[in-house]
Amino acid sequence: MNSRRTRRTRAAAALVVATIGLSACTTDAGTPTATDGVVQVIAPQDRQQVKPFTGELLGGGHFDTTSMASKVVVYNVWGSWCAPCRSEAPVLKRVSEETQDLGVRFVGINVRDNDAAARAFEDNYNIEYPSITTDTSSAAVLAFGPALPPSAVPSTLIVDAQGRLAARIVGPTDYSTLSTIVTETAAEADTSQ
């Protein structure tokens, strides 16, 4: 095993067991929506297929997961009302831009929001990747099954090039964590071709 692969394996193993304390995102009623922060990287042999889903996009148009076949895709569950979503937005934007040439795609899943507030959020943070509207996001949330608790906002899910869940981050993410996981997942796709 070469030293680059050893470093990747060690980094992935460290992320598998990483559990970080993160602040909860709350609704206007004060109900917590993400109480624990968890980072989990799933070994390739243990990954499960993500169910296909579709949705309408905030910017107009239709999204279908089949359009992402053979791509590593990062799905971020967010709402404009969520303070941790605001803190992680620049991180998501940066990693999406840095990994685009690797073939990685980002898709937002907007929840419990209204389209006008969601579009204002995206404009404010210069988010250029598409987001599924709140009205059509339930199919996307359900596609991840128990890996995505319904109230876990924000959450980020990384799907490998075979359409399997490769990693999940429940709670806000940081640059180092997200960049490492996404880059490593993209590198897996390169070595398998």
Side-chain angles (χ1 to χ4, degrees), residues 50-57 63 65 75-78 107-113 115 131-146 148-151 153 157:
V50 175
K51 294 179 183 175
F53 60 88
T54 62
E56 299 305 313
L57 297 172
F63 175 79
T65 54
Y75 293 98
N76 178 254
V77 181
W78 66 280
V107 177
I109 301 172
N110 184 246
V111 295
R112 299 192 302 273
D113 215 340
D115 290 355
S131 283
I132 297 169
T133 65
T134 288
D135 289 344
T136 62
S137 66
S138 60
V141 171
L142 292 173
F144 292 97
L148 179 59
S151 62
V153 181
L157 303 122

Side-chain angles (χ1 to χ4, degrees), residues 19-70:
T19 300
I20 49 179
L22 300 167
S23 60
C25 189
T26 60
T27 63
D28 290 337
T31 306
T33 58
T35 56
D36 294 323
V38 175
V39 176
Q40 178 186 22
V41 175
I42 303 163
Q45 67 273 14
D46 296 328
R47 294 177 185 170
Q48 300 292 315
Q49 285 294 131
V50 175
K51 294 179 183 175
F53 60 88
T54 62
E56 299 305 313
L57 297 172
L58 281 171
H62 186 73
F63 175 79
D64 187 329
T65 54
T66 61
S67 69
M68 298 289 168
S70 303

Side-chain angles (χ1 to χ4, degrees), residues 91-175:
V91 168
L92 291 156
K93 174 182 170 49
R94 180 178 172 191
V95 177
S96 73
E97 291 169 349
E98 291 176 354
T99 59
Q100 186 168 11
D101 288 344
L102 299 175
V104 176
R105 298 297 177 256
F106 277 60
V107 177
I109 301 172
N110 184 246
V111 295
R112 299 192 302 273
D113 215 340
N114 68 67
D115 290 355
R119 281 193 291 272
F121 178 98
E122 288 186 328
D123 289 346
N124 187 51
Y125 291 100
N126 298 312
I127 303 296
E128 295 184 10
Y129 54 83
S131 283
I132 297 169
T133 65
T134 288
D135 289 344
T136 62
S137 66
S138 60
V141 171
L142 292 173
F144 292 97
L148 179 59
S151 62
V153 181
S155 288
T156 304
L157 303 122
I158 297 91
V159 175
D160 68 17
Q162 290 77 42
R164 304 171 304 170
L165 183 62
R168 69 185 184 128
I169 302 166
V170 179
T173 189
D174 60 66
Y175 174 78

